[in-house]
Amino acid sequence: MEKQRRSEVRQRARQIRKAQKSNLSTKDYLQRALVVLIILIILAAALFIYENLT
């Protein structure tokens, strides 16, 4: 009984792990790249403004 329950729990955990692995689409990669680009632009602008103030 206990072994069967343990087996069911493991099987359910595997199913959950499989469901969490999603294949990212091109749109997802583009969105991530855009966010990184915007962050870099903000940092570069902040650095540029800081350098001009001093």
Side-chain angles (χ1 to χ4, degrees):
M1 185 79 173
E2 183 66 27
K3 285 183 180 180
Q4 184 183 2
R5 173 108 175 95
R6 234 183 278 156
S7 173
E8 289 173 2
V9 169
R10 280 193 191 127
Q11 191 174 10
R12 181 73 182 125
R14 271 191 224 113
Q15 288 174 350
I16 291 171
R17 262 187 244 124
K18 280 183 185 176
Q20 286 176 341
K21 285 185 180 177
S22 60
N23 295 331
L24 293 175
S25 67
T26 306
K27 185 180 175 184
D28 295 329
Y29 285 118
L30 285 174
Q31 285 179 338
R32 287 184 181 185
L34 188 63
V35 168
V36 170
L37 193 63
I38 289 170
I39 291 170
L40 288 174
I41 289 171
I42 291 170
L43 286 173
L47 187 65
F48 180 75
I49 291 169
Y50 179 75
E51 290 293 323
N52 285 341
L53 289 177
T54 56

